[in-house]
Amino acid sequence: MEIHRIATNVAKAYAFEFAELMSYLQMASSNIPMARSKPPSQQQQPSYHCINQQYPNILKIHSNPDIYTVSDFLSQNECERLIAKASLGMQPCLVKNANTGLVEPDPSRTSTNANIPQREVPSITQKMTSLANCSQEQLEILQVLNYKRGQEFKAHTDGFDSGPTSACGFLDSGRIATVFCYLNDVPEGGTTLFTKLGLEIKPKRGLAVIHFPMSLELIEDERTEHQGSVAIDEKWILTTWVWKHWKGDYRYDEDRLPILSADII
């Protein structure tokens, strides 16, 4: 454990140097001929991450692909405090342009968001890991999203069609589960629609939703395509993604996130 702690501290201290070295290694490895992999058997079935099916109030609302909800996952008090905390740091949603490598406004998502440090929401982080059956190190940075009238998130999956991906601090990995929770009641608009399943979920404060955008073999499950329908009434959501492997790029370390407020939830 002591060796692991020392190694982690060194990785954090030299995060940017390691990242630069990794870019050179990736360029070098791209020139090495790779053996062709055999296509998977038609009979081979993908496997998926197992969440905590004993979590209070959990309900499977769709099978194959599996989608779950958890009512009252967050309390009214937790939701209201999260909204107040996030309101201090809302920014336009950004995405990395695959062609230019530049980070720019996301054309498919017109909402605003704020990154929430785990150290400011330890009880909520514990709920996330308990429900998702994962470690904190597997969680992507928690985000609170705000949709005002007319804003939306166009149809997408949360997986990657290229398979194993390096992003958000994770290396050659993938998102094996999505967990999000509505932070307010939304009387009109703003539903979550799974476009290929005909499944529509109406936002309700404290209701969590869990689905699996990639298999454990890191193959995107296109059946989980979903969209955040155009908001009419304002909508707030807390969301994160579970990756198959622990975070390895410490430029994205939780400790680097700025403090939002002194309120520890």
Side-chain angles (χ1 to χ4, degrees):
M1 292 298 294
E2 181 65 15
I3 293 176
H4 179 268
R5 183 186 66 79
I6 294 173
T8 299
N9 288 339
V10 170
K12 290 181 178 181
Y14 294 95
F16 288 89
E17 289 81 357
F18 283 140
E20 184 176 7
L21 175 61
M22 183 63 69
S23 67
Y24 286 115
L25 291 175
Q26 288 174 334
M27 284 189 290
S29 64
S30 66
N31 294 321
I32 299 175
M34 302 294 289
R36 291 180 178 271
S37 59
K38 296 181 180 180
S41 166
Q42 294 295 325
Q43 287 74 39
Q44 182 180 349
Q45 294 297 317
S47 55
Y48 291 90
H49 178 66
C50 293
I51 62 171
N52 179 5
Q53 307 230 7
Q54 304 304 313
Y55 199 90
N57 301 329
I58 194 166
L59 176 67
K60 181 186 282 189
I61 61 171
H62 194 278
S63 297
N64 195 28
D66 292 348
I67 301 174
Y68 297 84
T69 60
V70 178
S71 58
D72 299 318
F73 178 69
L74 296 181
S75 68
Q76 177 178 344
N77 178 266
E78 288 171 323
C79 292
E80 290 175 349
R81 291 165 68 189
L82 264 177
I83 291 173
K85 179 183 287 289
S87 297
L88 301 172
M90 301 304 292
Q91 300 287 337
C93 291
L94 302 175
V95 67
K96 184 176 181 179
N97 187 309
N99 296 320
T100 66
L102 299 176
V103 176
E104 55 192 33
D106 187 346
S108 68
R109 181 168 54 167
T110 54
S111 59
T112 54
N113 79 315
N115 292 331
I116 311 295
Q118 291 182 11
R119 64 184 181 276
E120 293 190 38
V121 288
S123 64
I124 293 175
T125 300
Q126 193 280 327
K127 286 185 176 183
M128 288 282 191
T129 56
S130 176
L131 171 59
N133 188 29
C134 69
S135 69
Q136 289 182 218
E137 291 80 5
Q138 288 175 267
L139 292 180
E140 194 170 324
I141 292 173
L142 276 62
Q143 296 180 21
V144 167
L145 304 173
N146 178 224
Y147 294 82
K148 298 190 183 299
R149 187 180 185 89
Q151 294 182 331
E152 64 178 326
F153 195 171
K154 296 182 177 181
H156 63 286
T157 73
D158 295 326
F160 305 101
D161 59 10
S162 58
T165 299
S166 295
C168 306
F170 298 90
L171 305 174
D172 291 324
S173 190
R175 291 168 167 170
I176 55 174
T178 296
V179 184
F180 65 86
C181 182
Y182 303 109
L183 301 180
N184 68 316
D185 293 324
V186 183
E188 193 172 0
T191 60
T192 301
L193 174 64
F194 286 84
T195 55
K196 297 188 176 182
L197 306 176
L199 175 65
E200 191 169 26
I201 303 174
K202 183 178 175 62
K204 183 174 189 267
R205 183 175 57 206
L207 178 70
V209 179
I210 309 97
H211 65 91
F212 309 93
M214 300 185 81
S215 69
L216 291 175
E217 295 77 26
L218 300 183
I219 299 171
E220 181 184 33
D221 191 339
E222 296 181 352
R223 300 173 300 172
T224 63
E225 180 184 272
H226 57 287
Q227 66 184 40
S229 302
V230 176
I232 297 175
D233 295 311
E234 187 174 27
K235 178 175 72 172
W236 291 85
I237 286 181
L238 170 69
T239 188
T240 190
W241 299 268
V242 180
W243 287 67
K244 183 176 180 180
H245 306 97
W246 284 21
K247 189 177 294 183
D249 184 345
Y250 286 100
R251 290 177 300 172
Y252 295 83
D253 187 64
E254 286 278 335
D255 292 341
R256 295 183 182 274
L257 293 177
I259 296 172
L260 289 175
S261 74
D263 183 22
I264 305 301
I265 306 173

